[in-house]
Amino acid sequence: MTLFTLTVYIGLASVLVTAVMVYFKLHQSFLTSFLQNFTGILFLFSGWVKAIDPLGTAYKMEQYFAEFEATFSGTWFSFIAPIFPVLSGMAITFSVAVIIFEMIIGLMLLLGIKPKFTSRAFFLLLLFFTFLTGFTFLTGFVPPDANFFHFSSWSSYNPNHMRVTDCGCFGDFIKLEPRTSFFKDVVLLIPAIYFLLKNKQFHKIFSASADKFILSGAIVLLIFYCMSNFLWDLPHTDFRPFKKGADIAGIYEEEKKAAANVKIIAFQLKERSTGKIVELSYDVYMKDYELYPQDEWETINQIMTKPEVEPTKISDFAIEDLDGYDATDVFLENEGWKFMIVAHKMNAKPESRSKIVIDSIFVTSGEMDEMGIEIPVPVLDRIVEREEKYTEFHWNDSYLKRYTQALAHFVDQARENGVPTALVAGGAGEDMLRSFKNTTGMNIDLYKADDILLKTIIRSNPGVVLWKEGKILDKWHIKKLPDWERVKAIYSIDN
């Protein structure tokens, strides 16, 4: 679905609801009621697709906070920068609060509850959204090595320069470029300003006492709904590419082939001395490239043909073993069953330690054999002590229990039935992973991957994914993992 299609559907629904209000004489102004219904339904829908996956919104907020911290550091506003790591630590709380607030404002618009407060809250929330999408859109004008506030270094718009490539306004249901989302928010500011001026014309459906009951009940239900989609279970609807039943190996191959067939059709060049920008077709550039020496001209963008298959996060699917070698095919080309334990973040505090190591130093002494040939013989010369540094990991007890209590027995039974299990961790080095294996005593293979990729695969830390022949057959939240016998029966897993 596209934004245009969604807008049409919401517009038709708004016309229908407004027509019903006109019939029952519940409105004061047709235009005001239509705008109430349109923006109310829009906010309810956009909030709902995010409420399905609050962790997705939280991860998006973490991206924004990281970019804000990097942007404000080293500027006159550097005193603001330390706030963002704190906010990042509360990202999930912030996510749930924003989602519920958005949906409640949508409900209040639809029902005409507290017109003055609702119009102001709607306007302020839109300003917040416009600020986020506007910042991200404007970073498209900022070269990667420049700070946002260094306006003199801004160049022509390049979507590849944007610090956050997807605003997350509709979760994973619709992917919008920040530029599109920014203009969407700017357009929505028009009814927001209209509501500030005309909120006395709001239609009202129920009495004040009924409104309180509806709002209270809605808030409680929404809190429960949001928490159920990440705290103790996976989102009930998965809009991401790594969904249950997806042929990851097949899609991966298609996307890679499509990317390989993409061709450069033009170059954008900027003259270093004047800032003048020219766009040349590929053929013209290859013919006249000597007219644009690199010391005078900078290539700022390559214009490419669109791939036959739009890339998804599956294109970034990459797994490494502990030695750094590519192990992606372990999952994409495995013929049998395989369990993947996904841990996008491992909860351990590293501590630098040192220990005394005793080394024996040998020297070589020559001895003559019976034939008169000298044979080198190692002789102990001395014993020395040296200090060797190492890292000791202190694991969070509650985090370890997710493995030792919920997973260890399951993994043992799976292996006894011939089904191997692999732990794929994000942001963890070899020492940490080996420490984890020694601490838990689990007999599993160890791999590494990008933490954002792992967050996309499953919204649980840890989470369990069942693979076969490059396909994802099932996924489980750590708190919803069935016992081995049930999984074996469901998928007819043979020894």
Side-chain angles (χ1 to χ4, degrees):
M1 182 177 289
T2 64
L3 179 61
F4 176 78
T5 305
L6 178 63
T7 303
V8 171
Y9 284 151
I10 292 177
L12 292 174
S14 304
V15 169
L16 180 61
V17 174
T18 306
V20 172
M21 289 181 173
V22 171
Y23 180 80
F24 287 102
K25 299 180 179 180
L26 296 173
H27 74 297
Q28 296 186 52
S29 164
F30 179 86
L31 176 61
T32 303
S33 288
F34 171 78
L35 291 176
Q36 276 182 257
N37 293 328
F38 183 88
T39 53
I41 295 173
L42 176 64
F43 264 43
L44 281 172
F45 181 80
S46 63
W48 173 68
V49 292
K50 290 194 288 286
I52 290 174
D53 182 18
L55 274 180
T57 301
Y59 296 151
K60 188 61 61 178
M61 287 292 137
E62 288 176 356
Q63 284 185 269
Y64 276 115
F65 293 144
E67 292 303 330
F68 289 149
E69 181 186 9
T71 297
F72 286 109
S73 297
T75 68
W76 290 98
F77 304 99
S78 60
F79 63 92
I80 300 176
I83 297 174
F84 297 109
V86 177
L87 292 176
S88 184
M90 301 185 297
I92 185 59
T93 303
F94 191 74
S95 168
V96 172
V98 170
I99 290 169
I100 292 176
F101 185 59
E102 180 179 2
M103 294 188 72
I104 290 299
I105 292 301
L107 183 63
M108 294 176 75
L109 282 167
L110 202 58
L111 300 181
I113 301 173
K114 294 186 177 297
K116 185 177 291 187
F117 169 83
T118 301
S119 59
R120 291 175 178 175
F122 178 68
F123 177 74
L124 292 175
L125 187 58
L126 261 180
L127 280 183
F128 170 70
F129 289 154
T130 306
F131 169 75
L132 289 181
T133 57
F135 165 80
T136 309
F137 162 56
L138 291 175
T139 58
F141 294 93
V142 185
D145 57 347
N147 187 280
F148 182 86
F149 292 109
H150 297 162
F151 302 115
S152 60
S153 63
W154 284 28
S155 60
S156 60
Y157 176 77
N158 185 342
N160 295 323
H161 290 169
M162 286 191 295
R163 307 306 195 255
V164 181
T165 55
D166 167 40
C167 67
C169 300
F170 293 97
D172 289 293
F173 179 72
I174 299 177
K175 293 288 187 180
L176 294 182
E177 291 184 2
R179 174 169 58 178
T180 302
S181 192
F182 171 67
F183 289 124
K184 168 187 69 69
D185 291 336
V186 169
V187 171
L188 285 174
L189 281 173
I190 297 173
I193 295 171
Y194 178 84
F195 289 155
L196 290 175
L197 302 174
K198 300 290 185 178
N199 56 65
K200 291 182 179 180
Q201 295 181 357
F202 271 24
H203 62 245
K204 185 169 181 60
I205 307 300
F206 301 108
S207 64
S209 57
D211 289 342
K212 290 181 181 179
F213 177 79
I214 292 171
L215 288 181
S216 300
I219 291 172
V220 172
L221 289 175
L222 287 174
I223 291 174
F224 177 82
Y225 180 69
C226 286
M227 293 179 68
S228 70
N229 284 320
F230 77 92
L231 193 58
W232 57 79
D233 205 352
L234 300 178
H236 60 77
T237 303
D238 195 347
F239 298 120
R240 300 182 306 280
F242 292 93
K243 64 185 68 173
K244 179 179 176 180
D247 181 4
I248 305 302
I251 298 172
Y252 180 87
E253 188 65 24
E254 288 181 4
E255 293 184 1
K256 289 297 182 183
K257 286 182 178 178
N261 291 331
V262 169
K263 297 180 180 179
I264 301 173
I265 57 176
F267 292 90
Q268 282 187 338
L269 307 176
K270 183 173 75 172
E271 191 173 24
R272 298 181 186 274
S273 60
T274 64
K276 176 185 176 182
I277 295 175
V278 297
E279 184 175 315
L280 306 174
S281 69
Y282 179 83
D283 293 336
V284 170
Y285 177 77
M286 296 305 293
K287 178 182 177 182
D288 300 333
Y289 70 92
E290 293 181 353
L291 301 177
Y292 302 92
Q294 291 186 358
D295 58 338
E296 298 179 14
W297 292 85
E298 173 190 3
T299 302
I300 59 175
N301 191 22
Q302 293 180 346
I303 302 174
M304 321 283 284
T305 58
K306 286 190 176 182
E308 297 172 356
V309 178
E310 286 294 326
T312 66
K313 196 64 180 176
I314 292 176
S315 291
D316 299 328
F317 186 73
I319 308 293
E320 293 182 352
D321 63 19
L322 296 190
D323 296 322
Y325 293 106
D326 180 47
T328 306
D329 290 344
V330 170
F331 296 95
L332 296 187
E333 295 186 2
N334 67 305
E335 296 182 357
W337 311 88
K338 194 174 188 68
F339 286 102
M340 173 194 282
I341 299 176
V342 176
H344 70 258
K345 180 180 181 182
M346 306 201 76
N347 199 338
K349 291 183 178 180
E351 179 185 359
S352 181
R353 303 288 297 272
S354 61
K355 59 183 178 181
I356 301 300
V357 178
I358 298 176
D359 288 335
S360 298
I361 308 299
F362 291 85
V363 296
T364 302
S365 175
E367 294 185 4
M368 306 295 289
D369 64 6
E370 296 178 355
M371 304 294 296
I373 299 175
E374 186 175 18
I375 300 175
V377 177
V379 178
L380 178 65
D381 180 61
R382 63 187 184 279
I383 295 176
V384 298
E385 295 182 351
R386 62 180 175 84
E387 185 181 55
E388 184 178 274
K389 294 188 178 296
Y390 68 99
T391 301
E392 186 174 287
F393 295 92
H394 302 281
W395 293 91
N396 179 278
D397 289 338
S398 62
Y399 181 76
L400 285 183
K401 286 180 181 179
R402 301 177 194 174
Y403 293 89
T404 57
Q405 294 183 4
L407 277 171
H409 185 59
F410 183 94
V411 169
D412 289 341
Q413 287 184 302
R415 188 171 291 275
E416 288 174 5
N417 284 266
V419 183
T421 302
L423 172 73
V424 184
E430 179 182 353
D431 291 341
M432 176 181 279
L433 289 174
R434 295 197 185 281
S435 170
F436 170 83
K437 188 172 183 177
N438 293 333
T439 304
T440 61
M442 295 176 66
N443 187 10
I444 52 177
D445 303 318
L446 302 174
Y447 297 96
K448 301 180 292 183
D450 176 66
D451 64 314
I452 296 178
L453 170 70
L454 298 180
K455 290 175 181 178
T456 307
I457 292 175
I458 190 169
R459 303 298 204 207
S460 178
N461 186 38
V464 181
V465 184
L466 176 59
W467 292 74
K468 187 180 183 183
E469 298 174 357
K471 297 178 181 178
I472 293 180
L473 298 187
D474 214 334
K475 302 196 293 186
W476 296 278
H477 191 282
I478 187 62
K479 295 182 180 179
K480 290 291 184 176
L481 180 66
D483 59 45
W484 165 253
E485 292 301 327
R486 179 173 173 79
V487 174
K488 181 179 178 180
I490 292 174
Y491 289 99
S492 303
I493 299 177
D494 300 322
N495 290 348

